[in-house]
Amino acid sequence: MSTLSRTLPRSVSRASASLRVPARTMTVLASRAARVGAAAPRAAAVPAQVRGMKTIDFAGTPEKVYEREDWPLEKLHEYFKNDTFALLGYGSQGHGQGLNLRDNGLNVIVGVRKDGESWRQAIEDGWVPGKNLFSIEEAATKGTILMNLLSDAAQTSTWPELKQYVTKGKTLYFSHGFSIVYKDQTDVVPPNDVDVILCAPKGSGRTVRTLFKEGRGINSSVAVFQDVTGKALEKAVAIGIAVGSGYIYETTFQKEVFSDLYGERGCLMGGIQGMFKAQYDVLRANGHSPSEAFNETCEEALESLYPLIAQNGMDYMYKACSTTARRGALDWAPEFEAACKPVFERLYESVKNGSETRRALEFGSRKTYRQDFDKETDAIADQEMWRVGHVVRALRPNRK
């Protein structure tokens, strides 16, 4: 059995994130949407301002941004008329980006291990063996744009075989800078005669798909590692729109992977779990009931306050609360900032010096990876806080 046939599952799905940027729906070919059973995206209100590529002032720093108005569907079809997108891997991002490409009428095929779980999932999603579903080797041979969406550990283990298919004139595409930036650990070094680009959606692949179907679009970053054709950035932006992005900003491979690893270990996932758990445990230790501790720690945050921040910002959320809550939050925020900043500084250094990469590759390469991962996440699910959460969520009126 080849190394490419022993790919590992994706170990991390990016947490969902969405900036408040108005979006218009992309035209999705109705016939394709019907074939895959996807609902057509709903059209959002059209903003009055002129949209498209521009330079915007972000709190005093000008940045280029790209929006889908520069890449209507007809233009995408013309631009990629001679290309075949070969989606290598069908995890979270592969699922979302692949279905969006297909719904947008572009020529896309999937490459995964035959008869594995991803193969079965792809068939359930309407990919047809021999037509647009192949082994990784065959898809890599057929594709002109090789979308390496395997897990980070699998990208490392499969590169010795995969690199023979990365030939002159093709484009190598990633959605994470991991393999390229940490090449001293992954040994992923592309040939010097291909464009190497990145589009990194700021959310899980499931969110990429959901927002596309809703007619919205995920926020994404794009980067160029190697520009052979002179059009690598243009190509990255076009693919970013084609896979379902609504708003795109420029970064570098290094900045993307540094910010991503740092963020998911911090406020997006690791920090949230740690903060929730600490607050819940102190409430319980002081005699508060499980339901009260969960409601005051998690439920109010997720159902009431965090949505206000998402829609209108932290200052609005403060103004929407009582005067007593405002005063306390304003007083204690600096205390938490001072306490957390040293932890975040250590975390960023751990990402920067490659420690987090070594840990991730070691863990993702274990033969017992899935069992070990399930053991740790099952332990979280078994915490009293989250067992209480199951009961509280079932009581939400919309669950009835």
Side-chain angles (χ1 to χ4, degrees):
M1 183 185 295
S2 71
T3 305
L4 289 178
S5 299
R6 298 194 300 270
T7 57
L8 297 169
R10 290 189 63 83
S11 59
V12 175
S13 292
R14 290 195 177 96
S16 176
S18 179
L19 295 177
R20 194 166 58 92
V21 178
R24 292 185 216 162
T25 182
M26 286 184 86
T27 304
V28 177
L29 299 184
S31 60
R32 283 186 174 270
R35 284 200 294 273
V36 299
R42 298 193 304 271
V46 177
Q49 68 193 93
V50 177
R51 307 301 295 271
M53 193 265 293
K54 63 183 71 170
T55 299
I56 293 180
D57 186 305
F58 287 87
T61 300
E63 295 185 40
K64 288 182 182 178
V65 299
Y66 305 85
E67 297 176 281
R68 60 171 60 131
E69 277 67 20
D70 276 345
W71 289 95
L73 202 55
E74 297 77 10
K75 185 176 178 179
L76 288 174
H77 288 174
E78 176 63 24
Y79 192 81
F80 293 117
K81 64 183 180 182
N82 297 320
D83 284 305
T84 297
F85 292 86
L87 201 74
L88 310 180
Y90 201 68
S92 175
Q93 286 296 332
H95 163 90
Q97 295 188 38
L99 291 178
N100 292 354
L101 283 168
R102 188 175 72 182
D103 281 2
N104 275 334
L106 297 171
N107 185 20
V108 55
I109 61 177
V110 173
V112 292
R113 180 170 58 86
K114 189 174 182 180
D115 297 327
E117 180 56 36
S118 292
W119 181 275
R120 289 190 289 272
Q121 181 60 57
I123 291 175
E124 287 182 14
D125 288 339
W127 303 96
V128 180
K131 179 182 177 183
N132 52 24
L133 177 60
F134 305 94
S135 67
I136 292 180
E137 297 89 342
E138 189 170 359
T141 300
K142 293 177 179 292
T144 60
I145 299 174
L146 306 186
M147 304 177 72
N148 195 341
L149 298 180
L150 297 164
S151 71
D152 295 325
Q155 287 185 22
T156 300
S157 64
T158 59
W159 181 251
E161 284 191 56
L162 181 60
K163 64 183 179 182
Q164 66 183 295
Y165 303 104
V166 186
T167 54
K168 185 177 181 179
K170 293 192 176 185
T171 297
L172 183 59
Y173 168 99
F174 296 91
S175 281
H176 194 19
F178 190 100
S179 293
I180 295 294
V181 172
Y182 297 109
K183 62 181 181 296
D184 58 326
Q185 298 183 52
T186 66
D187 292 323
V188 176
V189 180
N192 58 15
D193 55 359
V194 299
D195 285 348
V196 182
I197 59 176
L198 169 153
C199 175
K202 300 298 104 180
S204 73
R206 301 291 167 172
T207 307
V208 171
R209 181 62 176 161
T210 299
L211 294 182
F212 175 85
K213 290 169 67 176
E214 291 176 358
R216 295 162 63 188
I218 194 79
N219 305 319
S220 302
S221 63
V222 292
V224 174
F225 178 75
Q226 194 164 271
D227 186 359
V228 174
T229 64
K231 295 184 177 181
L233 178 59
E234 177 183 75
K235 196 185 308 179
V237 172
I239 296 176
I241 297 300
V243 301
S245 304
Y247 155 79
I248 293 172
Y249 62 93
E250 292 183 40
T251 186
T252 67
F253 270 63
Q254 184 182 75
K255 288 179 179 177
E256 188 283 327
V257 70
F258 282 10
S259 60
D260 184 77
L261 294 181
Y262 173 75
E264 62 199 11
R265 285 154 175 75
C267 289
L268 299 180
M269 294 174 67
I272 290 293
Q273 164 64 15
M275 286 274 287
F276 278 176
K277 183 68 163 52
Q279 178 168 311
Y280 180 92
D281 286 351
V282 169
L283 285 170
R284 292 288 287 123
N286 281 275
H288 295 268
S289 70
S291 61
E292 183 172 57
F294 186 85
N295 272 282
E296 293 293 346
T297 298
C298 304
E299 190 72 355
E300 185 174 354
L302 300 173
E303 287 289 285
S304 175
L305 302 184
Y306 289 179
L308 291 179
I309 300 171
Q311 291 300 316
N312 302 290
M314 183 68 75
D315 57 324
Y316 180 93
M317 190 273 287
Y318 274 36
K319 289 180 175 65
C321 296
S322 70
T323 55
T324 302
R326 295 176 199 166
R327 184 66 267 148
L330 289 167
D331 289 344
W332 279 91
E335 294 266 359
F336 280 102
E337 180 183 353
C340 292
K341 192 169 184 179
V343 177
F344 278 105
E345 288 173 338
R346 287 194 293 109
L347 170 56
Y348 192 86
E349 181 57 32
S350 182
V351 169
K352 188 176 179 179
N353 66 26
S355 297
E356 294 300 309
T357 308
R358 284 187 288 275
R359 171 66 175 152
L361 287 174
E362 184 276 327
F363 181 75
S365 299
R366 294 179 188 173
K367 291 182 179 180
T368 58
Y369 157 77
R370 178 55 59 184
Q371 298 94 308
D372 294 343
F373 172 77
D374 287 344
K375 183 177 180 180
E376 290 187 89
T377 52
D378 287 350
I380 292 176
D382 196 47
Q383 291 172 358
E384 182 188 89
M385 177 173 67
W386 294 119
R387 287 189 283 114
V388 172
H390 281 292
V391 180
V392 172
R393 286 192 293 277
L395 293 172
R396 293 175 185 169
N398 64 341
R399 292 295 178 96
K400 297 183 183 301

